[in-house]
Amino acid sequence: MRWGIFSDVHANGPALDAVLGDIDRVGVDRLLCLGDLVGYGPHPDEVVRRVRALGCPVVVGNHDLAAIGRLDTSDFNPFARAAVDWTAERLSDDSRRYLEALPMTWAGGPVSAVHGTLDHPDDFLYLQTLDHARELLLDQERFLVVFGHTHVPITFALSGDQVGVSCERRVDLSDADRALVNVGSVGQPRDEDARASWVLYDERHRSIEIRRVPYDYEPVVTAILAAGLPSVLGERLRFGV
Ligand code: ZN
């Protein structure tokens, strides 16, 4: 089984197109989406409709909940909050209902999926320390947990009592007991690489490939400005920050 896993599309239609095109070329058996379909970008309803049409499992992200009024945004930065308000006015009733029905977590075969972390899915924690990664790896029931939220692709692997961390594009997990993989962001990467990110997980070979896909972000920058969204939300797409 080959899994195509993507996250944090953030209402960026061209980036989603590019990733789905790459997934088609590479060929996968299953698709998984890890939330934050909307927020920041100029194409919220279009992105929800497109992801919904894929018919794949999708877990909910904090920006999805914020956009439908189900999450307190007082700890969002002012740019993110402006985008939440803008997005809320542009979602169709169908799209709202779809986002509202998304689960916090999903599990199937060797894989569990969550937007933030499995220990507190609805707190949307950022995984930032090796100690936290170790706790999560020791607690997880399935071989692989995939997540998003930080917009930075990274792999943690547990072998015996050793936790390894890797930012490599290809990671061999054949010796690992369990792994925890952040698949990066489709629509707003933050690792100084502007290309859209997704992950190919090859279950048989137990390998991870972080794929980066170039797309034309200038029309998205223009659309963000035209929408009256904060200009920084467009400019950052050029730098992947
Ligand atoms: Zn996000």
Side-chain angles (χ1 to χ4, degrees), residues 76-175:
F76 276 41
N77 69 53
F79 305 123
R81 214 174 309 140
V84 166
D85 295 342
W86 184 90
T87 301
E89 290 169 16
R90 281 157 185 87
L91 288 174
S92 65
D93 289 345
D94 268 3
S95 293
R96 294 177 152 275
R97 274 194 293 272
Y98 174 74
L99 294 177
E100 206 155 15
L102 293 177
M104 283 282 171
T105 62
W106 178 89
V111 179
S112 292
V114 65
H115 186 68
T117 58
L118 265 191
D119 51 356
H120 299 282
D122 42 10
D123 286 341
F124 299 103
L125 303 178
Y126 292 95
L127 172 54
Q128 282 169 325
T129 68
L130 213 49
D131 282 345
H132 192 189
R134 178 189 300 276
E135 275 173 38
L136 292 168
L137 283 161
L138 289 171
D139 277 353
Q140 75 189 49
E141 286 167 11
R142 300 185 190 236
F143 174 68
L144 181 68
V145 173
V146 287
F147 68 108
H149 196 36
T150 67
H151 301 201
V152 176
I154 191 165
T155 299
F156 300 93
L158 182 74
S159 304
D161 59 358
Q162 294 295 309
V163 177
V165 55
S166 172
C167 297
E168 295 297 317
R169 293 287 171 247
R170 288 169 189 269
V171 185
D172 176 4
L173 297 172
S174 52
D175 290 335

Side-chain angles (χ1 to χ4, degrees), residues 8 10 35-36 38 40 62-63 115 148-151 185 188 190:
D8 295 271
H10 282 295
D36 274 6
V38 301
Y40 299 130
N62 52 322
H63 284 259
H115 186 68
H149 196 36
T150 67
H151 301 201
S185 168
Q188 197 198 76
R190 294 181 190 159

